Amino acid sequence: MHPDVAWAVWSGERARRVESVVDGFLPPATEPPQRLHEAMRYAVLGGGKRVRALLAYAAGELTSADPAVVDRAAAAVELIHAYSLIHDDLPCMDDDVLRRGKPTCHIAFGEATALLAGDALQSCAFEALAAAPLRDRGQAVLLLAQAVGSRGMAGGQEIDLAAAGQSLDLAELEHMHALKTSALIRAAVRLGADCGRPMSADENDALHRYASAIGLAFQVVDDVLDVEGTAQSLGKTAGKDAVQRKSTYVTLMGLAAARERIETLHVAARTTLTGFGTGARRLLELADWIVARTH
Ligand code: GRG
């Protein structure tokens, strides 16, 4: 099978897999309070590239994990991600009306229900991990909590909000994204890998460097797409960074240098995996896909 086809088959199968795990884990929309459960399901099901889940499954392949064991880790990171998007789209934050090609959760369900849906999805993520068939559930819960709290994603979001109307330098921008975007991506990789055989300290370190590089590359691509994409291709509002006068890789470096930075991070991510052999195949493919993505 051609490598591109094999990748499409694998990623499509894993994306459907996590969709069904999340679907089975969430309360049904018919269960009271129906509106809240409907909003939760609206935000997390039927959309999104599932990058974080794919990273968890791919990292699981590196340590020969059974995908059935990775399922809960993959679901947990997608649940957290969906919560963060709901909250990020609220009027008090990024104030957006379009997400994954449909009205944002607060447009569809109202602000109060959207806020609660985000809260409840975050709880669901921890519930999924806490009851998962993992070797060390406590460690997994700790890892995710640290990645999404004030020293991780939520902290990065606060730095981003505080920077409104100000210009950040490159180091400040990188620090913000290391928390806001990369922390969850790093957690996805580590949680997935931890579902398989124990890793050596060197392997752990290499995987951490892979995830950091790919997390940052994901963000630089996001900045480039905000300039080059359309609402139709992205499924979310395009050109927002310029309207909000946000510092981005493109505003600080220019488009050409931002593209070069993506390629440098791409090469760095691939290089960190050289010692892993064929088990790294999916992580390598994911690195290629993340930097080449168009939405
Ligand atoms: C509200 C605590 C809190 C955090 C929000 C994730 C986030 C932090 C904000 C989202 C805003 C944003 C554009 C971040 C940059 C990168 C990013 C996370 C893009 C969206 O992720 P994708 O492209 O989305 O993986 P899909 O829809 O494919 O899942």
Side-chain angles (χ1 to χ4, degrees), residues 48-52 78 81 83-85 87-88 93 99-100 153-154 157 180-181 218-219 222 236 293:
K49 298 179 289 295
R50 305 295 183 214
V51 174
R52 293 149 193 85
E78 286 299 324
H81 175 53
Y83 127 68
S84 79
L85 296 180
H87 283 197
D88 184 65
M93 295 212 192
R99 173 69 66 184
R100 294 178 169 173
M153 187 179 74
Q157 180 78 344
K180 186 177 117 168
T181 309
F218 185 88
Q219 185 59 54
D222 218 66
K236 62 180 182 181
R293 72 189 175 98

Side-chain angles (χ1 to χ4, degrees), residues 10 54-65 193 197 199 203 207 210 273-286:
W10 182 85
L54 294 179
L55 281 164
Y57 285 118
E61 297 219 347
L62 193 75
T63 56
S64 311
R197 64 163 173 82
M199 284 186 295
E203 285 179 324
L207 206 56
Y210 164 85
L273 298 177
T274 41
F276 283 103
T278 52
R281 172 182 177 188
R282 300 303 179 198
L283 284 174
L284 289 168
E285 288 172 341
L286 257 163

